[in-house]
Amino acid sequence: MEAWVASIPGSDQHHQPYFFLSYARTPRISANGPDPNLWVTKFYWALCQEIMQISRLPDGVSPGFMDQELRVGAAWNERLAKELASCRVFVPLYSPRYFASESCGKEWAAFDLRRKHLMGRGSDLSEVVLPAFWVPVRPTELPKMAHPIQFHDPALGTKYQEHGVYGLIKLNRFRDHYKLVVDALARRIVDLAENVRLPPGTPCDFTSLPSAFVPDQTRRFRIVVLAPTRDTLPPHRDQRQYGTAATDWNPYYPQYDRPIASLAADIVQSLGFEPELWSYAERGEDLLGPDGPASPGIVLLDPWVVLMPEYQAALSILRRSSHPWVGLVVPWHEDDEQLTAATDQIRPGLRALVPTWIEQGRLLSREAAKGALGIGQFAPALREVILTVAKSYLREASHTPGAANHAVQAQGLDHMAAIKESGGT
């Protein structure tokens, strides 16, 4: 079956496969035993048939792709890469065996890398991953990256949650429940494929990617917060922006209801890195030390610390830091009356930090040192700095083991930057 390049009647859009079914093969008990994967094949064709009934796909076009043959070699790997780069929806078939499969983890990684690259165009593409339970999997058994990706539809029914597709497809007494599940999943696939319209990407060598299910230490991104806690603030400072830990600091309270480190973590994750949140006391010197960090990172700096004697040593380290893959971020809430009143005392301390960081594009904004950066300007500026330091790290890491994966990620980040500079969405 070749790639699908048929036109949908009444449209000038070329057809892309609606879905890619990613599943873990169950091994045969014996060489002469029945193929245990026939149940998956039956489910795949049921989805295809239902999609054909409810969509406008033309004759001779298959709605999806499933690796039905166990093949090896460059040609077959290229075929899989092509399908992962063109399908509109990725359907992982959850089971304990699935998350133990290296090949399934590579398929997920390839599609997710494409999804994250395209998020640079301003679209929320998280829902183009549509999981289905082949066998029920407890939440504690899911890898971290799968936690936010869920699909709950009342039409799936409680039997599906209890038994999964495999438990329903085998037994006649669950026949109606199975049909409901196929119908609900097919309708969701069609809805995502036709409304989200995920653009095709460039096929990558997915065999060189690490499994998405295995934590990759080379993809760490440290977010270090240099801010007081509620207990260490001067008595006159308003405590509402602070918590019991430095990472609780929320400079845009009450307009924004989350710690600023959480916003940074969301951006980091969207760029394909694994965020780590630390206070400066825990990991600050590791990030800024003379030997250089082993991963990219940013320092979220509370301007108020410029006035606090116990932070002068940390500020001195910041002034001397010159690592190109560490960024300095200075949120300044324009409605913070205490901060505004102390601007003349704080501004000189911030200006002392600025020159080296601005030269390398690692300071969030020149305006940060002037004392005017509201939440509306902060989020996109934060993304820009994270993008800058991540690209610097990946270019340096391209000379180290795992260079192929770093190069793929760097190309994706360059693509995001080019779109932003051109004014694209």
Side-chain angles (χ1 to χ4, degrees):
M1 189 183 303
E2 295 302 319
W4 303 273
V5 195
S7 295
I8 300 175
S11 172
D12 59 357
Q13 298 292 329
H14 289 296
H15 173 63
Q16 301 167 238
Y18 273 27
F19 74 102
F20 182 109
L21 186 67
S22 177
Y23 72 103
R25 291 180 175 274
T26 301
R28 294 177 186 264
I29 296 175
S30 65
N32 297 325
D35 182 1
N37 298 296
L38 288 176
W39 294 111
V40 178
T41 303
K42 181 177 180 179
F43 172 61
Y44 167 76
W45 285 113
L47 279 177
C48 288
Q49 184 61 48
E50 189 66 26
I51 289 172
M52 291 300 290
Q53 292 287 347
I54 62 177
S55 69
R56 296 185 296 125
L57 293 178
D59 294 342
V61 168
S62 177
F65 176 83
M66 171 187 172
D67 179 12
Q68 295 177 273
E69 299 182 45
L70 184 60
R71 303 183 186 181
V72 294
W76 189 241
N77 288 337
E78 290 174 5
R79 172 64 189 282
L80 289 176
K82 184 177 181 180
E83 303 301 340
L84 287 165
S86 62
C87 67
R88 297 188 184 188
V89 182
F90 183 77
V91 182
L93 212 49
Y94 283 10
S95 68
R97 192 179 297 277
Y98 183 81
F99 293 109
S101 168
E102 183 179 16
S103 60
C104 292
K106 289 176 178 289
E107 290 173 358
W108 185 306
F111 184 85
D112 198 46
L113 195 60
R114 170 190 166 203
R115 178 187 69 85
K116 288 171 178 174
H117 290 173
L118 292 168
M119 286 179 71
R121 299 183 180 183
S123 299
D124 182 5
L125 298 176
S126 59
E127 290 190 349
V128 290
V129 177
L130 178 64
F133 283 99
W134 184 245
V135 176
V137 180
R138 293 189 298 272
T140 55
E141 296 177 309
L142 295 175
K144 180 180 178 181
M145 34 66 62
H147 287 174
I149 303 175
Q150 302 181 38
F151 175 52
H152 297 298
D153 186 333
L156 292 169
T158 58
K159 295 298 182 184
Y160 167 73
Q161 299 293 336
E162 295 172 5
H163 302 281
V165 175
Y166 180 60
L168 301 181
I169 196 173
K170 296 183 302 175
L171 302 175
N172 286 334
R173 72 174 183 270
F174 291 145
R175 181 179 179 85
D176 290 342
H177 296 282
Y178 170 67
K179 288 182 177 181
L180 288 174
V181 169
V182 171
D183 176 77
L185 291 173
R187 290 183 182 278
R188 184 59 176 163
I189 290 171
V190 171
D191 178 57
L192 293 174
E194 295 184 350
N195 293 308
V196 177
R197 288 194 171 275
L198 177 68
T202 302
C204 67
D205 179 12
F206 79 99
T207 60
S208 68
L209 295 176
S211 168
F213 310 145
V214 178
D216 183 359
Q217 295 301 315
T218 66
R219 286 169 39 187
R220 292 185 304 165
F221 192 109
R222 291 184 178 179
I223 300 168
V224 172
V225 181
L226 180 53
T229 64
R230 192 171 291 166
D231 294 337
T232 60
L233 280 173
H236 61 282
R237 177 60 171 154
D238 190 336
Q239 297 185 352
R240 290 177 297 175
Q241 297 178 6
Y242 303 88
T244 57
T247 50
D248 294 330
W249 175 49
N250 178 11
Y252 293 103
Y253 176 87
Q255 283 85 349
Y256 191 70
D257 60 359
R258 298 171 59 201
I260 208 68
S262 297
L263 172 62
D266 289 344
I267 295 173
V268 165
Q269 202 161 35
S270 76
L271 297 177
F273 287 86
E274 295 295 331
E276 293 184 357
L277 274 59
W278 303 97
S279 70
Y280 183 87
E282 294 170 317
R283 287 290 187 274
E285 292 190 15
D286 291 347
L287 192 67
L288 300 170
D291 295 334
S295 58
I298 57 171
V299 178
L300 293 170
L301 173 68
D302 179 2
W304 200 264
V305 303
V306 171
L307 304 179
M308 300 178 67
E310 59 265 43
Y311 289 99
Q312 298 311 304
L315 294 174
S316 178
I317 293 174
L318 275 174
R319 282 192 290 271
R320 297 194 302 269
S321 178
S322 60
H323 305 306
W325 54 86
V326 179
L328 176 62
V329 178
V330 187
W332 189 298
H333 189 185
E334 54 196 358
D335 294 334
D336 186 333
E337 295 180 358
Q338 288 185 319
L339 200 59
T340 300
T343 296
D344 291 342
Q345 290 76 44
I346 294 174
R347 191 177 288 169
L350 290 182
R351 283 176 175 167
L353 301 173
V354 164
T356 301
W357 297 84
I358 279 188
E359 287 172 8
Q360 299 182 12
R362 296 179 297 127
L363 182 69
L364 188 148
S365 168
R366 292 176 186 268
E367 295 303 313
K370 299 178 182 178
L373 195 63
I375 186 63
Q377 298 82 37
F378 177 78
L382 174 60
R383 183 180 182 87
E384 184 177 344
V385 169
I386 291 174
L387 193 62
T388 297
V389 299
K391 287 196 299 182
S392 296
Y393 169 75
L394 290 173
R395 290 191 182 107
E396 179 70 20
S398 64
H399 306 295
T400 64
N405 185 34
H406 294 312
V408 171
Q409 286 185 283
Q411 290 171 6
L413 296 181
D414 283 333
H415 176 65
M416 290 182 183
I419 290 172
K420 184 178 185 299
E421 289 172 5
S422 67
T425 55

